[in-house]
Amino acid sequence: MAARLPPARHRRVARVRGAGARRLRRCGGGAARAPSRRAALAGAFVTGPRLRYAPSPTGDPHVGNIRTALWTWLHARRHGGTFVLRLEDTDQGREIPGSLERIEASLRWLDLDWDEGPRNGGPYAPYVQSQRLALYHEATDRLLASDAAYRCFCSAADLEAMRERQRAAGEPPGYDGRCASLLPDEAAARAVTGEPHVIRFRMPRDGTTTFTDLLRGEITYENRLLDDFVIIKSDRFPTYHLAHVVDDHAMAITHVTRGEEWIPSTPRHVRLFEALGYPLPIFVHTPVILGPDGGKLSKRHGARSVLDFAAEGYLPETLFNFLAIMGWSPDGATELLTRDAIIAAFDLQDLAAHPSVFDTQKLEWMNGVYMRALPEAELASLLLDRLERDLPPEAPRPIDAALVAGLVPLVRERIKLLADIAPLVDFCFLPEPPLPDQAALLGKAYRARPAAAADALAAAVEALRPLAAAWSAPEIEAALRTLATALAEKPGDLFMLCRLAVTGKAVTPPLFETMALLDAARCLASLAAAEALARSAVATPCRGPRASPGDRTPCVCYVGWTGGDSSKGRTADSGSVSRGSNPRSPASLPNLHGVPVSSRMVKVSAQLAPTWPQSSPATLVAPCPGRTSAGRSLRD
RNA sequence: GGCGCAUUCGUCUAGUGGCCCAGGACACCGCCCUCUCAAGGCGGAGAUCGCGGGUUCGAAUCCCGCAUGCGCUACCA
C-alpha cells in the first residue's frame, strides 16, 4: 500500500533531463492509455517537483479551478516534474456521479496529461481518497496517542447552540474546546460503545502560526483565533484538512497549489504537518477568476466550465493560451504563445496574486486568431463536424464535405467560434434556397423602386445564365459589374440585391466566391425567385380608400407617421410599415382604411410601443391614395 | 463582527527606487482597403499607478494608516 512506500523526496537519484525527460513527459494522461512509463519509473530515479491537481467530484471543473490545474501542470512540465491527479471525495454527500469522467475529459480536452491518477495508477496508489481511509485513521491514531487530537462528542445541536451563544455575546465563533479536557481513556471507552463522535485537532492556544505563500510571502495568524477543528467526521471519513495533509505528504507532493480561499485554513494544515512530523510543502494560493461585473464567475456570465467552452466552439489551444496568461505574463508583451513556449517560460513564482476578470471578448479574439492559424484541412474537418450537429434537420446529411472545404477560405476570417459557422453558411446546405422577406430584399436602395430591383434581378439571371458552363467567381463578378454599369446601378446596390437573393442574408461570405461554390442553376433559380418577390411589390395595386370602416379588402398600403420623436435616431416617418411584410406591424393595420384616423392611430401606436417613437401620438398623414407603389409612404 | 488576501487604462497585464508625465493586448473611436460582414494596415483616445501620510536627492515600486473588493469564520471542499 502507498503508505509503505518511502517518500520520493528521500530518495537519492539522478535528475532526468533532455530527450529522455521529454519522452517521459508524453506518457500517461488519458484513462484509456496504459499507465505511464514515467509513473512506472518514478520510484527509480525521478526527483523533479511533484504537483497535484486534487479536485473533488462535485461536477464539472470551472475555469478558475482548471486554470489552477493548468498552471500546476505547466510547472510540473517546465521543471521536469510529475503531475498527479487525485480525487478528493471525502464528502460523500456532495459527490456527483460521473464527475471523475468529466474532470478527466476537461483535462484531456486541454491536453493536460497526468502521470499518476485514479485510473492509470502510480507508485502512490490509490489516488482516490475514499480508498485511503486506513491512512487517515493511522495518522489520527498517532495524533490521538500524542494527545495532539481528541474525541469530541458534541452533537450538531450542541454546536449550533454554542455558536448562537457566541454570536449573541459578540465572541468570535469557533469550537470552545469543551471536549478537549475529556480523559482520553474515558473518551476511548465511550467511542468503543459506538457513541457518535468526531476527532478534533488540538490547536495551540496562544502564539502565532506563520507560513510562506509563494506568491504573497509570509502570512501570520494568531493561534487564539483558530479553534480545534475536526479532522475525522462522525462517519469516520477525514475532513479535507487531514486528508490533504496526509496525502500530500504520502504522495511526496512538493508544491500545494489551490485556490486562495484556502489561505485562512493553511495555519491549521501547517500545525497538522508539524504534529505528524511532516516537512512543509511549498504553498501556492492562486487568485480567483471574477465575472465581468466583478463578482464571482457564474452561469449568468455564460460558460464557466471548460466543457462549456468546448461546446461553444472554442479551440482547446485558445483556452490553454488564454487561461495561462490570465494572471501570468512571460514578458509583458507577448500574449500569443505556443504550448511549448508557455512551458518553457512558465514558473509558479511569477503568477499574479490578484484576481482577474474573465474577459470573454478577448477570449473570442484569441479564438479567432487560433482559428485563422489552423491548417485549412483541419479547420474544414472541425467545421464539418460542427455543421453536422448545428444545421437544421432539413439540411440533407451527410453534409457536403467538399462544399465545406470550399467555404473554409471564405469563412475563416469571419468566425470567432466554431459555433458561428452554421448561421453564416446555412443557406448553402438548405434544400430550398431561402428568400428574405420583401422589405429586406428591397432594402434601402430599392425600397422606393421595386420595379428597378425586379428588372435588375431579371437582368442578372440573363447575364449569368451563359456562365453556367464556366461558373467561377471572376466570371460572375465580371458579369455583374458589367451589368451594374449597363443598368447605371451602383455596383454595391446590385451586389447586395443579389446577395440577398442568393443567400437570404445581408451578411455573408464574399458573394462571387460563394455563388461559385454553389450550383449555378440553384443561384439562377434564387435570383428568379427574388425577382418575382420584388415584382410583387410593384404589381399589387392598392384599391384606394375604403368605402367604409367594414371594408377589409386586402391591399398593400404604406402608411407614414408623423409626430413621433427621433430620440432613438429614427425619424417618425422613416419607418414605413407595409402590411404583411413587416413583422412589427400590428394585425389591425389592414383595417386602418376608412377608420377615423386619429383615434385609430393612438391605438396602433400603443401596439407598436416597443419599436415605435412614442413621445407624441402619431397621426396618419393622409388616407391611402388610390394607387401607391411599394415603399412610398403616404405623405409622398 | 473578527481574521486574512488583494488594489496600474473599461478589461487582461508590464513594471521589484531614476530608462515611466507608465509599455503591450482586448474592447472603443477615426482613416485606409472593400460586393456585405469580417480579417488586415495605419492612427487616436484611454491610468493624477485606490486614498492619505511618511522614507528618499528621487516612489507605481519601500513603510504606516485608511478605503474598497473578495475570501474564511461547517462533522463542505
Side-chain angles (χ1 to χ4, degrees):
Chain A
M1 193 153 188
R4 265 183 262 121
L5 287 168
R9 73 161 68 86
H10 295 155
R11 289 184 209 118
R12 299 177 43 74
V13 279
R15 226 179 178 50
V16 179
R17 284 190 187 284
R22 276 193 297 280
R23 208 178 316 116
L24 287 170
R25 189 169 301 154
R26 279 195 291 273
C27 296
R33 295 179 220 171
S36 84
R37 179 130 57 105
R38 158 169 277 270
L41 262 35
F45 59 86
V46 173
T47 56
R50 290 180 54 86
L51 299 95
R52 104 270 112 128
Y53 171 47
S56 54
T58 51
D60 296 1
H62 292 179
V63 283
N65 193 260
I66 217 73
R67 181 241 237 157
T68 299
L70 170 65
W71 283 340
T72 304
W73 179 88
L74 282 170
H75 192 83
R77 295 302 175 245
R78 163 67 179 82
H79 296 283
T82 304
F83 183 64
V84 176
L85 174 62
R86 181 176 74 216
L87 200 64
E88 308 225 320
D89 60 342
T90 56
D91 186 351
Q92 308 248 280
R94 295 208 320 161
E95 182 151 357
I96 294 174
S99 290
L100 210 213
E101 290 71 17
R102 307 285 288 176
I103 290 164
E104 291 180 334
S106 300
L107 293 175
R108 222 173 289 135
W109 186 69
L110 282 170
D111 202 12
L112 304 181
D113 56 333
W114 54 101
D115 306 301
E116 302 167 23
R119 302 203 217 224
N120 50 336
Y124 302 95
Y127 293 87
V128 177
Q129 291 188 325
S130 61
Q131 294 167 20
R132 301 170 61 82
L133 262 24
L135 253 37
Y136 312 127
H137 294 158
E138 188 182 300
T140 305
D141 289 344
R142 281 174 52 208
L143 260 13
L144 245 17
S146 65
D147 204 35
Y150 59 89
R151 289 177 223 272
C152 167
F153 297 88
C154 296
S155 69
D158 293 338
L159 297 175
E160 189 41 52
M162 178 194 72
R163 271 192 283 272
E164 193 53 53
R165 191 169 349 96
Q166 289 166 336
R167 232 192 323 270
E171 297 166 16
Y175 184 64
D176 60 11
R178 63 182 67 174
C179 289
S181 49
L182 256 31
L183 261 22
D185 290 347
E186 280 177 25
R190 285 168 71 178
V192 168
T193 68
E195 184 175 350
H197 66 282
V198 300
I199 295 173
R200 288 181 184 274
F201 181 75
R202 207 184 289 279
M203 282 294 285
R205 288 280 184 70
D206 39 41
T208 58
T209 299
T210 298
F211 61 92
T212 301
D213 176 89
L214 221 217
L215 309 181
R216 303 156 225 269
E218 285 196 349
I219 299 177
T220 299
Y221 279 83
E222 285 189 55
N223 292 334
R224 66 183 175 81
L225 266 11
L226 273 5
D227 65 356
D228 294 349
F229 57 98
V230 175
I231 55 175
I232 295 284
K233 300 181 267 190
S234 55
D235 63 1
R236 301 281 285 150
F237 272 71
T239 57
Y240 169 84
H241 306 304
L242 208 221
H244 132 65
V245 169
V246 168
D247 284 344
D248 280 338
H249 175 260
M251 296 180 179
I253 297 302
T254 55
H255 297 64
V256 170
T257 51
R258 64 194 358 175
E260 67 176 343
E261 68 272 19
W262 288 107
I263 291 175
S265 44
T266 302
R268 297 177 162 158
H269 306 154
V270 167
R271 290 298 177 182
L272 259 180
F273 272 106
E274 287 172 352
L276 256 6
Y278 300 158
L280 287 179
I282 294 168
F283 291 105
V284 187
H285 291 102
T286 56
V288 297
I289 296 180
L290 270 18
D293 53 4
K296 240 186 150 172
L297 197 62
S298 74
K299 267 284 196 273
R300 300 201 75 77
H301 303 124
R304 42 204 287 254
S305 97
V306 266
L307 265 13
D308 289 339
F309 286 101
E312 280 186 25
Y314 288 92
L315 265 17
E317 296 88 331
T318 306
L319 259 295
F320 186 99
N321 190 156
F322 186 76
L323 254 19
I325 65 162
M326 178 167 48
W328 173 78
S329 170
D331 56 14
T334 315
E335 302 201 302
L336 265 4
L337 301 99
T338 63
R339 280 171 83 80
D340 287 345
I342 292 173
I343 292 172
F346 188 82
D347 195 289
L348 282 174
Q349 203 163 339
D350 302 328
L351 295 181
H354 57 263
S356 34
V357 172
F358 195 91
D359 186 350
T360 306
Q361 279 188 315
K362 188 160 184 173
L363 210 218
E364 283 189 4
W365 160 77
M366 191 178 279
N367 203 56
V369 172
Y370 273 94
M371 207 105 94
R372 273 171 256 132
L374 234 41
E376 249 178 53
E378 213 169 301
L379 219 208
S381 126
L382 289 172
L383 292 179
L384 182 62
D385 289 349
R386 195 76 202 185
L387 288 169
E388 290 279 1
R389 267 199 291 151
D390 292 356
L391 247 19
E394 307 91 271
R397 310 301 153 102
I399 300 302
D400 183 346
L403 180 51
V404 174
L407 282 168
V408 167
L410 308 185
V411 301
R412 69 182 317 164
E413 23 202 65
R414 270 162 257 264
I415 54 178
K416 290 189 158 155
L417 306 179
L418 293 174
D420 291 340
I421 190 62
L424 220 212
V425 302
D426 55 359
F427 63 88
C428 295
F429 301 91
L430 265 12
E432 289 296 317
L435 256 193
D437 67 37
Q438 197 180 69
L441 175 68
L442 296 174
K444 217 175 154 187
Y446 293 98
R447 184 174 59 197
R449 45 195 196 101
D455 293 344
L457 257 2
V461 172
E462 289 319 307
L464 295 175
R465 198 192 306 280
L467 269 41
W471 198 240
S472 74
E475 295 286 329
I476 294 167
E477 175 166 9
L480 289 179
R481 282 195 188 280
T482 304
L483 178 61
T485 307
L487 294 174
E489 293 287 344
K490 282 198 257 181
D493 290 347
L494 207 222
F495 297 161
M496 181 51 85
L497 193 59
C498 293
R499 177 190 316 282
L500 256 352
V502 173
T503 71
K505 302 172 195 295
V507 174
T508 70
L511 215 217
F512 315 118
E513 286 81 352
T514 306
M515 286 176 72
L517 243 30
L518 261 18
D519 184 58
R522 177 188 171 110
C523 291
L524 296 180
S526 295
L527 290 167
E531 184 215 335
L533 215 210
R535 194 75 69 192
S536 75
V538 184
T540 310
C542 176
R543 310 244 168 93
R546 303 298 164 83
S548 70
D551 179 2
R552 304 202 174 180
T553 314
C555 72
V556 172
C557 180
Y558 288 75
V559 292
W561 313 74
T562 62
D565 71 23
S566 55
S567 63
K568 289 186 174 154
R570 176 186 195 188
T571 56
D573 63 356
S574 70
S576 298
V577 177
S578 98
R579 179 192 119 241
S581 69
N582 185 324
R584 289 189 303 251
S585 65
S588 61
L589 210 48
N591 301 329
L592 279 173
H593 299 285
V595 170
V597 166
S598 54
S599 63
R600 198 67 185 188
M601 292 318 298
V602 172
K603 187 171 180 192
V604 171
S605 175
Q607 287 170 343
L608 287 168
T611 56
W612 213 251
Q614 297 172 52
S615 68
S616 56
T619 49
L620 189 57
V621 175
C624 186
R627 187 185 174 83
T628 174
S629 56
R632 191 175 303 155
S633 73
L634 289 186
R635 71 185 178 138
D636 289 339

